[in-house]
């Protein structure tokens, strides 16, 4: 029973990472209509930036986290303006943006590999909160609590931003139809840049936290998050951030539990089988609305 | 002469990989030409590759005899995929094919008796590069015949507008199913050829990176003509090798940069039948010398841009 609860907590923390990463990926897909293969690279680079801030500049945990998050956001804006803006102007569909994002994925991942010397680095002990809380006999690392809490706060914040604020309305309008949105007094370019920044920043957040909790800072960090975050977005439903959060945590728990009680070889298989099942049977996901479709 | 022989020895494997990649690109093109973006080529390649390798190890027959088996395995898989996936809307279809690749990798790891599992599978035979060239030439003839056949024209109609196509008496679903089966056969063949060129298969041999580079190769070469896939695959294979001479350690980055530049400045790819047609029309118009300036200006501009690209 104790093992079960420990693994449940591990699963929640892992799932919180997937959810956090999936949030930005889902927002870009549902509002900008871009399937961004480079999204994982933002996470890798944010983790690398935060690690550099810790090691070179001797920054404490919080400022280093901010460096990673802002770095991820800025990288996303740069990629958006170079890779997607020219295509957006021309109005070419999803395929073109997918290809340019693949180009950036190749570029950024290879540069990340060079930056880390093709190794898996990790944050030095003491550069992050390493306290271990205990509830009864069950140890809970502080980083896991922080990850889950951050995920909950970001999900709530994004949900309020998208559904309740004027800017969120502008985002949804631009996602629906750029021309109509600009007729309605929205500056699409500004909205797109802010959206890209938010997506990159959440990806960066997942990257830094994931780099710390999994002790792995390399280009592989982003790749792992990309595949699982993508699954979380599809299972949860594209147009609702709450769905992504629930599905991400669910997938994390499922993954840890199946590795513990079934077989570690099937750990990824179950996630991907679930992903495919959802695509085939219920493509709008757990919480997606019926009327959602992109032209 | 000696220099030429050295050159050939150095770049022989690059040519072999370019040919194998051309098969993958043709497989991706085959479904794209019927209006579907699918990454499932990797799945067909994995099935063709592992079935072919296993058959070689079990039977000891010449790989050339076993190639049809790999093709059939790929085609069968593609037919099943088409039956299940074609119900999905376009981008869900792309995502589902991506999920399929991920699942196949897990399956490959978990069936070690067939695939060697995580340790991989070594393939003790190979094919001479001339045979690869002949196979590619055969594939080119097939794709040329297909492109001028009723099927090719119907596929083009389905790609442009499925609703119009079905009003013309073409069943889009049927055309797309045929496209999948062709894609599966070519992909299975490519998968087995890759096994013979690499002589070693691991679970990571057929993974997302092939899917992404192949779709990139097709779009880079030009997704509106089958020859574009072959040219795109050749460029994409040769580029890292060339880049290594100029920017060692960053050849992959150079690959990405070139892909980015081509997509931004030449979105229809290197080979674009429309630009070629427009250029021909512009030339005819010039010859007649009676075209008015407005109509002539635009095509001539497009044509000169395409000319610079070609």
């Amino acid at each position: 029973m104790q093992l079960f609860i420990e693994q449940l907590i591990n699963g929640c923390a892992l799932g919180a990472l997937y959810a956090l990463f999936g949030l930005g990926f889902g927002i870009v897909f549902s509002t900008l209509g871009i399937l961004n293969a480079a999204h994982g690279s933002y996470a890798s680079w944010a983790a690398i930036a935060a690690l550099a801030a810790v090691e070179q500049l001797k920054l404490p945990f919080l400022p280093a986290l901010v460096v990673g998050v802002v770095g991820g956001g800025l990288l996303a804006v740069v990629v958006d303006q170079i890779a997607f803006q020219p295509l957006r102007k021309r109005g070419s569909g999803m395929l073109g943006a997918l290809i340019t994002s693949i180009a950036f994925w190749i570029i950024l991942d290879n540069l990340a590999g060079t930056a880390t010397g093709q190794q898996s680095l990790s944050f030095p002990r003491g550069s992050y909160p390493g306290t271990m809380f205990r509830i009864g006999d069950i140890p809970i690392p502080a980083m896991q609590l922080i990850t889950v809490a951050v995920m909950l706060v970001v999900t709530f914040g994004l949900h309020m931003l998208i559904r309740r604020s004027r800017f969120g309305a502008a985002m949804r309008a631009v996602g629906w139809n750029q021309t109509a949105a600009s007729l309605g007094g929205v500056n699409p370019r500004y909205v797109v840049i802010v959206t890209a920044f938010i997506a990159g920043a959440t990806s960066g957040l997942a990257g830094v936290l994931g780099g710390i909790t999994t002790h792995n800072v390399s280009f592989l960090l982003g790749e792992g998050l990309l595949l699982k975050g993508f699954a979380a977005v599809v299972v949860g439903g594209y147009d609702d951030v709450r769905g992504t959060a629930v599905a991400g945590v669910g997938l994390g728990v499922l993954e840890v539990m199946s590795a513990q009680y079934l077989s570690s070889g099937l750990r990824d298989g179950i996630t991907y089988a679930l992903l495919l099942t959802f695509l085939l049977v219920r493509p709008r996901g757990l919480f997606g609305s019926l009327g959602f479709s992109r032209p | 002469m000696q220099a030429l022989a050295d050159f050939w020895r150095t770049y022989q494997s690059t040519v072999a990989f370019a040919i194998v990649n051309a098969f993958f690109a043709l497989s991706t093109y085959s479904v794209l030409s019927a209006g579907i973006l699918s990454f499932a080529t990797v799945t067909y390649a994995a099935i063709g590759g592992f079935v072919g390798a296993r058959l070689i190890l079990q039977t000891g027959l010449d790989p050339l005899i076993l190639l049809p088996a790999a093709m059939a395995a790929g085609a069968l898989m593609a037919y099943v995929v088409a039956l299940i996936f074609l119900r999905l809307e376009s981008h869900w279809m792309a995502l589902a094919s991506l999920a399929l690749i991920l699942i196949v990798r897990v399956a490959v790891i978990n069936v070690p008796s067939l695939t060697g599992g995580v340790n991989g599978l070594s393939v003790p035979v190979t094919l001479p590069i001339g045979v690869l060239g002949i196979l590619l030439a055969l594939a080119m003839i097939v794709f040329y015949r297909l492109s001028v056949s009723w099927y090719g024209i119907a596929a083009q109609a389905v790609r442009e507008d499925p609703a119009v196509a079905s009003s013309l008496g073409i069943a889009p679903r049927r055309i797309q199913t045929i496209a999948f089966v062709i894609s599966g056969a070519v992909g299975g063949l490519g998968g087995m050829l890759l096994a013979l060129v690499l002589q070693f298969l691991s679970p990571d041999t057929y993974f997302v990176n092939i899917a992404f580079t192949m779709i990139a190769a097709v779009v880079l070469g030009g997704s509106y003509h089958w020859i574009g896939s072959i040219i795109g695959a050749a460029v994409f294979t040769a580029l890292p090798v060339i880049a290594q001479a100029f920017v060692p350690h960053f050849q992959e980055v150079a690959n990405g940069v070139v892909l980015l530049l081509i997509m931004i400045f030449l979105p229809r790819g290197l080979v674009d039948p429309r630009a070629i047609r427009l250029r021909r029309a512009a030339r005819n118009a010039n010859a007649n010398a009676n075209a008015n300036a407005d109509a002539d200006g635009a095509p001539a501009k497009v044509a000169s841009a395409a000319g610079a690209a070609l």
Side-chain angles (χ1 to χ4, degrees):
Chain A
M1 192 60 202
Q2 194 199 342
L3 181 70
F4 178 80
I5 294 177
E6 268 181 51
Q7 292 293 39
L8 188 67
I9 294 168
N10 284 336
C12 285
L14 185 66
L17 285 179
Y18 296 161
L20 205 49
F21 180 87
L23 289 173
F25 187 76
I27 288 177
V28 168
F29 187 82
S30 64
T31 63
L32 306 186
I34 294 167
L35 185 62
N36 189 356
H39 201 75
S41 312
Y42 307 159
S44 306
W45 272 103
I48 292 171
L51 183 63
V54 165
E55 286 191 332
Q56 313 291 331
L57 306 175
K58 308 281 177 238
L59 287 183
F61 173 68
L62 263 183
L65 185 65
V66 171
V67 167
V69 170
V70 173
L74 290 180
L75 184 62
V77 172
V78 170
V79 169
D80 184 272
Q81 290 302 302
I82 296 177
F84 305 142
Q85 188 62 30
L87 303 180
R88 213 174 274 135
K89 250 189 224 157
R90 205 162 50 214
S92 69
M94 192 171 114
L95 183 59
L98 175 63
I99 306 260
T100 47
S101 81
I102 290 172
F104 258 107
W105 176 57
I106 297 173
I107 296 171
L108 291 175
D109 269 16
N110 275 288
L111 290 179
T114 312
T116 59
Q118 313 295 343
Q119 286 169 358
S120 168
L121 309 175
S122 63
F123 280 83
R125 200 164 281 281
S127 64
Y128 54 89
T131 340
M132 197 71 98
F133 296 103
R134 284 192 170 278
I135 299 175
D137 286 341
I138 299 152
I140 307 173
M143 277 312 295
Q144 294 198 339
L145 278 181
I146 293 175
T147 308
V148 174
V150 164
M151 188 277 288
L152 290 174
V153 169
V154 171
T155 306
F156 179 73
L158 282 179
H159 179 72
M160 294 312 272
L161 177 76
I162 294 172
R163 293 284 152 192
R164 296 272 186 277
S165 74
R166 280 178 66 85
F167 185 79
M171 270 168 81
R172 283 178 286 144
V174 169
W176 193 251
N177 185 329
Q178 281 213 15
T179 317
S182 59
L183 285 176
V186 175
N187 178 354
R189 183 141 191 198
Y190 166 72
V191 171
V192 164
I193 288 178
V194 174
T195 309
F197 183 84
I198 293 172
T202 51
S203 171
L205 201 53
V208 178
L209 295 175
I212 293 172
T213 50
T214 61
H215 305 287
N216 169 24
V217 177
S218 71
F219 70 95
L220 290 172
L221 170 69
E223 220 167 277
L225 283 174
L226 181 66
L227 298 178
K228 298 294 169 55
F230 163 62
V233 171
V234 171
V235 172
Y238 281 96
D239 57 344
D240 197 327
V241 291
R242 293 171 299 179
T244 307
V246 173
V249 172
L251 286 179
V253 171
L254 192 67
E255 195 181 317
V256 170
M257 289 300 172
S258 55
Q260 175 70 37
Y261 294 103
L262 292 174
S263 132
S264 57
L266 287 176
R267 165 184 180 137
D268 290 350
I270 290 175
T271 308
Y272 299 143
L274 199 65
L275 166 65
L276 191 60
T277 314
F278 263 88
L279 280 169
L280 292 174
V281 181
R282 198 182 162 87
R284 65 196 167 96
L286 280 177
F287 300 93
S289 59
L290 253 182
F292 178 74
S293 73
R294 291 195 59 81
Chain B
M1 202 57 216
Q2 184 58 36
L4 203 65
D6 282 348
F7 182 83
W8 176 243
R9 208 167 299 128
T10 317
Y11 293 108
Q12 196 176 3
S13 69
T14 309
V15 174
F17 278 115
I19 292 174
V20 171
N21 284 338
F23 279 101
F24 290 147
L26 279 176
S27 167
T28 308
Y29 164 79
S30 170
V31 279
L32 202 60
S33 69
I36 294 176
L37 172 62
S38 159
F39 299 106
T41 289
V42 183
T43 306
Y44 316 143
I47 293 198
F50 282 111
V51 164
R54 197 33 82 181
L55 281 177
I56 289 173
L57 291 174
Q58 301 293 343
T59 64
L61 287 172
D62 189 274
L64 271 182
I65 301 171
L66 297 170
L67 280 177
M71 287 176 77
L76 185 67
M77 180 68 195
Y79 183 66
V80 174
V81 169
L83 282 186
I84 302 172
F85 283 17
L86 274 180
R87 298 183 297 120
L88 300 173
E89 275 180 69
S90 61
H91 48 269
W92 301 121
M93 163 77 226
L95 300 184
S97 65
L98 211 51
L100 190 66
I101 298 175
L102 304 177
I103 290 175
V104 166
R105 181 172 179 276
V106 176
V108 165
I109 292 176
N110 283 291
V111 200
S113 57
L114 179 66
T115 63
V118 280
N119 297 323
L121 193 65
S122 73
V123 184
V125 286
T126 188
L127 276 183
I129 196 162
V131 177
L132 291 177
I134 292 169
L135 286 171
L136 182 62
L138 287 177
M140 285 165 78
I141 294 171
V142 169
F143 269 85
Y144 168 71
R145 292 300 304 167
L146 276 175
S147 72
V148 294
S149 70
W150 182 87
Y151 162 77
I153 296 161
Q156 206 178 345
V158 171
R159 177 187 197 165
E160 293 299 332
D161 196 327
V164 170
S166 57
S167 76
L168 292 172
I170 300 165
R173 188 68 66 82
R174 210 171 125 234
I175 295 294
Q176 289 170 340
T177 308
I178 297 173
F180 263 82
V181 171
I182 296 171
S183 167
V186 178
L189 177 64
M192 180 159 173
L193 293 180
L194 182 63
L196 293 169
V197 169
L198 285 175
Q199 298 194 285
F200 178 75
L201 293 178
S202 80
D204 288 325
T205 306
Y206 306 103
F207 202 44
V208 181
N209 44 355
I210 292 194
F212 282 172
T213 46
M214 279 316 102
I215 195 80
V218 172
V219 174
L220 180 145
S223 61
Y224 291 86
H225 195 289
W226 55 270
I227 196 100
S229 313
I230 295 171
I231 292 174
V235 171
F236 225 79
T237 316
L239 205 60
V241 181
I242 298 168
Q244 190 155 30
F246 295 104
V247 277
H249 312 304
F250 289 103
Q251 65 267 38
E252 292 288 327
V253 177
N255 228 2
V257 171
V258 170
L259 181 59
L260 190 64
L261 292 178
I262 290 182
M263 265 323 285
I264 291 175
F265 294 109
L266 274 176
R268 286 174 68 93
L270 295 172
V271 180
D272 181 4
R274 191 178 68 174
I276 295 169
R277 270 202 302 276
L278 284 173
R279 188 172 39 187
R280 202 172 290 155
R283 203 186 299 134
N284 290 343
N286 281 338
N288 293 341
N290 56 5
N292 71 43
D294 286 345
D296 201 34
K301 200 173 153 203
V302 174
S304 64
L310 290 166

